[in-house]
Amino acid sequence: MNDSTQAASAAPRPAPPRPGPDAPPAPVPELAELDTLADRPLTEQLAVLDTVHRALAAQLSSAES
């Protein structure tokens, strides 16, 4: 069996479950800060990116629990 035959015969992976229509993802207001990066000095850019990272990590950890 060659690689293309193996790939075709492999079962597709199931998609991860999605939230129902009544559970939309919560917005992350910190993402709006990314639009202001070009106007900020480098030290402030790093602070904004850190804030966005923390907000997204918090949302991800709350979604996993």
Side-chain angles (χ1 to χ4, degrees):
M1 194 182 296
N2 64 29
D3 289 355
S4 62
T5 308
Q6 284 179 329
S9 64
R13 292 184 184 182
R18 293 183 168 182
D22 51 340
V28 179
E30 290 84 358
L31 289 176
E33 293 292 317
L34 294 176
D35 293 334
T36 67
L37 285 181
D39 301 327
R40 294 178 182 237
L42 182 59
T43 54
E44 288 183 25
Q45 290 180 18
L46 294 174
V48 168
L49 293 173
D50 186 51
T51 301
V52 169
H53 178 264
R54 289 175 191 269
L56 292 172
Q59 186 179 38
L60 180 61
S61 68
S62 69
E64 290 177 344
S65 54

